[in-house]
Amino acid sequence: MAESDNIVVETAEKIFADLADPQEINNDKKGSWQAPLWRALSEAGLPLAWVPDDLGGSGASLADGFALLNAAGRFAVAVPLAETMLAGWLLAQAKIASPEGEMTVLPASPKDRITIDADGSLSGRARGVPFAKAAKHFAVLAHGKDEVSIALVDAAKARTESGLNVGYDHSDTVTLEKIQPVTIKPAPKGFDQTTMMLMGGVARSLQIAGALEAMLGISVRYSNERVAFEKKISKFQAVQHNLARLAGESAAALAAATSAADAISNAASFDDAVYLEAAAAKIRCAEAAEKGGGIAHQVHGAIGFTIEHILHRYSLRALAWRDDFGSESHWAVELGKLVAKRGADELWPLVASR
Amino acid sequence: MTAALRFDPIRLPPECEQLRKEVRAFLAEEIAAGTFSPFKPNREDTDVPEFSRKVGAKGWLGMTWPKKYGGQERSFLERYVVTEEMRVANAPTRRFFVADRQSGPVLIKYAPEHIKMDILPRICRGEICFAIGMSEPNSGSDLFAAKTRATKTDGGYLINGTKIWTSSAHIADYMIAIFRTSPPTKENRRHGLTQFLVKMKQPGIQVNPIGQITGQYEFNEVVFTDFFVPEDHVLGEVDGAWKQATSELAYERSGPERFLETYYVLTELVRAVGPNPDTRSAEGIGRLVAQLHTMRRMSVSVAGMLQAGKEPVVEASIVKDIGTVWEQQLPHRVRDLAAFVEETATNRETLERQLDFAIKTAPKLTIQGGTTEVLRGIIARGLGLR
């Protein structure tokens, strides 16, 4: 996932550089940056990157889509790009064509459940759904009596209560009460809510890793500009060591996230080894968001705590992304159970499986 | 700048999987035969000469070296697999590990041909043991402060001074050491150090063991008194050892040995909690496994960089920093999680014995091979801060 040996990432980075400059977005209190950015992304076919041509998308590979999400993280992009990509991907699992416009997926938490009633309508509540308020359609994973289905739902038919996550992005509660979906089809064999959460978790991991990379960049830059006690603060050993730790957290997050993305891109199924990759990425990236973001703020001092400065666009969003599609606590418990069930002598073979 | 800190998701190629099976089968046989026990980390017998020779006979020493020196011309990734399987099994690698990881590559790069032809095949057969003479009293990580002198004399050099914290010097056949051949210059305080091959067990060398807080004896003080080293035992450039020593650090700092030293307590914790852990144990184990997995991915990635002929000094320092801090904390986290393990758990005694040893081992892990502070300085330099 080098910066630009990839046409999808190159296109995205150019759009982000032109229309998603963090400082300009930060200064624009009215949100007038959003429409042009979304239009440019849509015209480039990026929100439907993971949807095949015949289902209305641009048919990029999983790997390219993951690289795109990492780039989006480096700009802390706050439009429903990841969410629409995930929704398109989910719909494509059941060969449902993607409509135009913003989408998001539900449920967005492993604990929430949408069910299919006898008449084929959908009911249930999903909390913490990113950008639900902005979405025109929802891609929904729903449970029938014995089967799992994937549905396209008109967002106007659902009840959506606005909420904000810790990064000031929409994180809403969506309630479906006997909603008839636009389309509903069975999920492929073996596909379940866990698969969807792992996929969403890896998407968030790549965004967190991107945000950490940006935080490292702006922290290093700031430390080379800011003078205190008659020296650039980058010359103080304590600051250097803090930045070295931030570099380590950023590198660990990127390594975990890109490894998981690579595993999913090349896997035949979501087996235990892929589960380990995806769950570990979410756990480790969430830990890195906490530790790394803390260091970035420490380096910046008071200025980084102001709403005028762009640091919070990365730090708070990285913290918020920890909660989507299963928090690190959730995945740690699940991964721990998996390891315990396989037994002590199977732990190393699992870790060393690739 | 950030481009340098990318850890591409290198996958081990198929030949590694076959090799891994062979190594596991070999280790299982050796454990069954009683050559070593994976459950006795605090054994006094970490030096097992016959084990070294068996590993050599398998072709697992000097794996990446040219065949003419007894090597196998295999990849760094294959060597990686052997290293991690040995470490996870708690195999007694002390006798051959330093030679295989560091000393051999140094000789290949800097020694005259006749010395390579003499020594390298013996390393590959697992017959000889190496020590590394870097630290001195009051120098440690500050290599510039090294004072032990090599004075030019007829046909070679006379060595006078003391090395310290030298692991395995008491069993080593050779040491690769850094001595002062001239004083540092005003312009370059790194000037004046030279790397030498030292044949141990000769008059003029005295090795004094130093006890460790684990109860083991592993490192030593090595005193040189008018010790003669022949001219052809100079490795590389006279007065130019600093650059040689630092460019080799990637080998020493990124391998699986840098996060697996206390791994055994995690396995035994999983055994002790059993198949149905409570939420607290499950979460604790899950986090530790996620952290371990991530470090391993980073470490494999650095092995891939080495295989590609790169010198990933900053990346290796990051792996060692994160890895050693993790393996240092691991026994304490495991102790914490084991607090509610049933008294009747079958391996509770084993776990407790291992924890006792791992907790005593932990303090050294962030010191050996470059302290955390030194590593963070290297990373900071890579970030352009110094």
Side-chain angles (χ1 to χ4, degrees):
Chain A
M1 300 200 181
E3 265 92 356
S4 60
D5 50 4
N6 173 325
I7 184 76
V8 176
V9 174
E10 235 173 73
T11 308
E13 283 187 329
K14 188 167 182 323
I15 294 171
F16 296 149
D18 290 346
L19 299 169
D21 176 70
Q23 191 62 61
E24 284 175 30
I25 287 177
N26 209 38
N27 297 342
D28 177 2
K29 308 291 179 224
K30 285 184 246 157
S32 49
W33 55 273
Q34 279 166 352
L37 174 60
W38 184 256
R39 203 177 313 122
L41 291 171
S42 301
E43 278 165 10
L46 298 174
L48 298 183
W50 274 333
V51 177
D53 302 344
D54 60 342
L55 295 174
S58 47
S61 66
L62 278 173
D64 284 354
F66 283 127
L68 165 58
L69 288 171
N70 186 226
R74 289 201 290 274
F75 285 82
V77 169
V79 290
L81 175 62
E83 292 71 15
T84 306
M85 283 172 66
L86 284 169
W89 171 82
L90 179 62
L91 294 171
Q93 300 304 306
K95 306 255 184 296
I96 299 173
S98 280
E100 291 204 353
E102 294 90 336
M103 292 194 282
T104 191
V105 286
L106 44 136
S109 154
K111 300 276 186 276
D112 291 339
R113 204 171 172 90
I114 308 294
T115 56
I116 311 168
D117 298 330
D119 64 354
S121 67
L122 305 180
S123 295
R125 187 160 67 154
R127 278 159 284 218
V129 181
F131 290 102
K133 205 73 187 171
K136 298 187 172 54
H137 290 91
F138 300 139
V140 181
L141 189 88
H143 291 82
K145 202 158 168 288
D146 303 306
E147 80 289 354
V148 179
S149 294
I150 292 167
L152 177 67
V153 168
D154 181 352
K157 290 191 174 176
R159 195 172 79 236
T160 302
E161 298 156 60
S162 288
L164 289 178
N165 67 19
V166 83
Y168 298 105
D169 290 328
H170 266 291
S171 177
D172 310 316
T173 299
V174 177
T175 308
L176 306 180
E177 278 167 356
K178 293 201 169 286
I179 303 287
Q180 285 295 338
V182 179
T183 318
I184 184 162
K185 288 186 183 176
K189 204 168 177 299
F191 191 99
D192 59 13
Q193 190 155 323
T194 302
T195 317
M196 195 181 101
M197 293 300 143
L198 290 171
M199 187 71 179
V202 172
R204 284 294 188 253
S205 298
L206 287 155
Q207 289 175 283
I208 291 173
L212 278 163
E213 220 182 319
M215 283 191 265
L216 175 63
I218 61 177
S219 300
V220 166
R221 206 160 54 236
Y222 180 75
S223 76
N224 277 323
E225 288 165 0
R226 164 79 175 147
V227 172
F229 309 103
E230 297 166 355
K231 278 202 288 190
K232 287 180 186 172
I233 62 167
S234 64
K235 298 299 163 201
F236 289 97
Q237 199 173 47
V239 174
Q240 291 177 353
H241 286 195
N242 264 346
L243 287 169
R245 284 174 54 226
L246 171 55
E249 290 303 307
S250 169
L254 190 64
T258 52
S259 185
D262 178 72
I264 290 177
S265 300
N266 294 299
S269 67
F270 278 69
D271 61 9
D272 280 1
V274 174
Y275 189 104
L276 167 70
E277 292 264 8
K282 188 74 198 295
I283 295 165
R284 190 62 185 84
C285 287
E287 291 176 349
E290 179 191 326
K291 286 191 209 163
I295 295 169
H297 274 282
Q298 185 69 26
V299 170
H300 278 82
I303 192 73
F305 194 64
T306 65
I307 201 80
E308 277 76 25
H309 198 277
I310 59 168
L311 177 58
H312 70 91
R313 292 195 60 80
Y314 300 100
S315 64
L316 294 183
R317 214 156 258 133
L319 293 176
W321 285 332
R322 296 178 303 173
D323 291 325
D324 300 335
F325 308 107
S327 69
E328 68 271 34
S329 306
H330 167 82
W331 287 115
V333 170
E334 295 303 310
L335 182 57
K337 283 183 187 164
L338 175 86
V339 164
K341 200 170 131 210
R342 289 172 58 109
D345 296 325
E346 288 303 309
L347 171 56
W348 179 250
L350 175 66
V351 171
S353 59
R354 58 177 84 213
Chain B
M1 174 269 297
T2 50
L5 294 178
R6 290 186 172 268
F7 289 80
D8 288 337
I10 300 288
R11 299 293 171 202
L12 297 172
E15 61 267 25
C16 286
E17 291 316 303
Q18 180 53 35
L19 177 60
R20 192 186 294 286
K21 281 185 203 149
E22 290 168 27
V23 179
R24 281 183 187 164
F26 165 77
L27 291 169
E29 270 174 40
E30 293 303 309
I31 291 166
T35 311
F36 70 95
S37 162
F39 296 111
K40 277 166 54 186
N42 52 341
R43 61 189 174 261
E44 288 293 310
D45 57 340
T46 51
D47 174 36
V48 186
E50 72 266 26
F51 182 75
S52 290
R53 282 191 291 273
K54 283 180 191 167
V55 174
K58 285 281 181 185
W60 295 335
L61 296 179
M63 284 178 79
T64 62
W65 306 351
K67 284 192 174 155
K68 66 171 170 173
Y69 302 136
Q72 304 289 324
E73 297 181 10
R74 296 180 84 162
S75 70
F76 278 97
L77 295 172
E78 288 171 288
R79 180 180 176 275
Y80 189 94
V81 165
V82 174
T83 307
E84 64 180 4
E85 290 299 324
M86 295 269 174
R87 191 61 54 162
V88 164
N90 251 323
T93 58
R94 181 196 281 193
R95 178 159 282 258
F96 60 76
F97 194 70
V98 164
D100 180 60
R101 178 177 71 182
Q102 261 165 293
S103 313
V106 170
L107 293 176
I108 289 172
K109 217 165 167 186
Y110 301 112
E113 192 62 22
H114 71 276
I115 288 182
K116 293 189 208 180
M117 292 305 287
D118 170 33
I119 294 180
L120 293 170
R122 289 193 282 145
I123 296 178
C124 292
R125 290 197 297 269
E127 292 170 0
I128 49 176
C129 175
F130 269 75
I132 297 174
M134 293 270 193
S135 294
E136 294 183 13
N138 304 318
S139 81
S141 286
D142 177 12
L143 204 52
F144 306 149
K147 287 194 180 72
T148 296
R149 290 197 59 82
T151 313
K152 192 78 187 78
T153 182
D154 267 1
Y157 291 81
L158 281 182
I159 314 294
N160 281 288
T162 303
K163 289 286 170 188
I164 200 166
W165 321 129
T166 317
S167 294
S168 305
H170 59 301
I171 56 168
D173 301 284
Y174 293 93
M175 173 195 285
I176 289 179
I178 281 186
F179 300 127
R180 184 156 292 288
T181 33
S182 36
T185 60
K186 260 213 169 104
E187 301 73 44
N188 183 7
R189 62 195 193 107
R190 298 165 181 182
H191 176 82
L193 298 168
T194 304
Q195 214 167 6
F196 287 87
L197 172 67
V198 172
K199 193 168 187 202
M200 303 289 285
K201 298 169 187 165
Q202 305 285 314
I205 298 185
Q206 194 187 333
V207 177
N208 304 315
I210 303 170
Q212 299 182 342
I213 63 173
T214 55
Q216 287 180 310
Y217 286 88
E218 192 179 309
F219 43 60
N220 305 272
E221 177 194 60
V222 184
V223 183
F224 297 90
T225 313
D226 282 338
F227 178 78
F228 179 74
V229 179
E231 188 103 55
D232 62 356
H233 282 43
V234 172
L235 300 174
E237 201 187 319
V238 173
D239 291 340
W242 173 257
K243 198 180 171 309
Q244 290 167 219
T246 49
S247 71
E248 285 140 22
L249 292 174
Y251 294 101
E252 193 193 343
R253 289 185 170 160
S254 61
E257 68 273 19
R258 293 308 187 192
F259 53 89
L260 290 175
E261 186 145 344
T262 56
Y263 169 78
Y264 49 85
V265 295
L266 180 56
T267 316
E268 292 316 301
L269 174 68
V270 173
R271 204 182 307 283
V273 301
N276 298 303
D278 61 25
T279 307
R280 175 179 173 275
S281 306
E283 189 194 350
I285 289 168
R287 279 190 189 255
L288 291 170
V289 170
Q291 292 156 358
L292 169 65
H293 165 77
T294 302
M295 281 176 312
R296 181 174 177 276
R297 297 302 333 153
M298 296 172 88
S299 179
V300 170
S301 187
V302 174
M305 295 177 208
L306 290 172
Q307 179 63 30
K310 298 178 190 162
E311 279 185 18
V313 174
V314 177
E315 291 86 344
S317 298
I318 286 178
V319 173
K320 182 176 184 272
D321 180 17
I322 295 181
T324 55
V325 167
W326 185 82
E327 65 181 3
Q328 182 168 72
Q329 291 171 343
L330 179 62
H332 301 286
R333 296 291 80 76
V334 167
R335 170 184 168 274
D336 200 17
L337 293 167
F340 295 100
V341 163
E342 299 292 335
E343 288 299 328
T344 52
T346 47
N347 67 324
R348 196 187 161 100
E349 215 182 297
T350 305
L351 175 60
E352 281 174 2
R353 197 170 63 239
Q354 290 190 338
L355 270 177
D356 179 275
F357 183 70
I359 284 166
K360 288 172 183 160
T361 308
K364 76 165 178 171
L365 300 174
T366 49
I367 299 168
Q368 58 193 11
T371 62
T372 303
E373 290 74 14
V374 166
L375 297 171
R376 289 183 183 165
I378 293 170
I379 300 164
R381 191 182 302 282
L383 293 172
L385 301 175
R386 24 191 318 192

